[in-house]
């Protein structure tokens, strides 16, 4: 049995979902649909406005557009388009109450992903952007 066959025969991964995925997928590597899903998630987080929205919602259970604008310092129009994208990528929930729509994180995975990103950014002392910001601060 080759090293690759041996690895495929004994699924292991970084989390239970990875283990399930590896057990179901009979080829090496990630299936295309999983790669596309991960790409959508991470590209959604690759925008400063969307990160500010996620941050505001990670610190509040739910906010409407006006509250998000106040919490982020951004305009309502700048936020509205980004909310639609985040909702379409299943990162946010939207609940209508009368005329107001309240947004919240889709689940704890989104909060965890964001918080892990913050931890990585904060703890990465070789991060040149952090050093540059502190120097220019």
């Amino acid at each position: 049995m080759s090293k690759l066959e041996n690895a495929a025969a004994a699924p292991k991964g970084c989390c239970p979902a990875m283990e399930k995925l590896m057990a179901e997928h009979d080829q090496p590597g990630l299936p295309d649909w999983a790669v596309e899903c991960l790409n959508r998630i991470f590209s959604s987080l690759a925008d400063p406005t969307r990160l500010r929205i996620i941050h505001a919602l990670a610190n509040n259970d739910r906010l409407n557009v006006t509250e998000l604008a106040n919490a982020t310092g951004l305009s309502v129009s700048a936020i509205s388009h980004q909310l639609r994208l985040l909702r379409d990528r299943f990162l946010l929930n939207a609940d209508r109450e009368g005329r107001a729509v309240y947004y919240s994180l889709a689940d704890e995975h989104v909060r965890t992903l964001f918080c892990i990103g913050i931890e990585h950014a904060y703890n990465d002392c070789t991060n040149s952007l952090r050093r540059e910001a502190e120097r220019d601060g």
Side-chain angles (χ1 to χ4, degrees):
M1 186 179 286
S2 75
K3 197 174 196 179
L4 187 58
E5 290 170 330
N6 192 21
K12 61 180 181 176
C14 59
C15 62
M18 178 63 88
E19 291 176 12
K20 288 179 189 176
L21 179 65
M22 291 173 69
E24 293 170 5
H25 188 62
D26 60 351
Q27 298 176 5
L30 290 172
D32 291 343
W33 66 264
V35 170
E36 180 58 28
C37 184
L38 287 168
N39 181 53
R40 288 180 185 187
I41 291 167
F42 288 116
S43 67
S44 297
L45 299 175
D47 176 86
T49 300
R50 293 191 292 264
L51 286 174
R52 285 178 171 78
I53 291 168
I54 296 290
H55 175 252
L57 291 171
N59 290 309
N60 297 278
D61 287 336
R62 58 191 219 138
L63 297 170
N64 64 32
V65 177
T66 303
E67 292 167 334
L68 279 165
N70 291 335
T72 61
L74 300 166
S75 70
V76 169
S77 63
I79 288 175
S80 294
H81 170 73
Q82 303 303 336
L83 288 170
R84 188 170 28 261
L85 186 141
L86 290 166
R87 228 179 41 238
D88 290 347
R89 295 193 176 173
F90 308 107
L91 296 174
L92 296 185
N93 292 324
D95 298 308
R96 182 171 293 280
E97 288 185 15
R99 290 182 155 182
V101 178
Y102 287 90
Y103 296 89
S104 60
L105 299 179
D107 56 39
E108 282 303 307
H109 296 118
V110 178
R111 183 185 320 275
T112 300
L113 186 59
F114 179 77
C115 289
I116 289 170
I118 292 291
E119 281 187 43
H120 181 73
Y122 182 79
N123 292 320
D124 181 7
C125 60
T126 62
N127 184 326
S128 61
L129 290 175
R130 179 178 175 192
R131 285 196 319 254
E132 184 179 311
E134 288 173 349
R135 183 180 59 240
D136 296 342

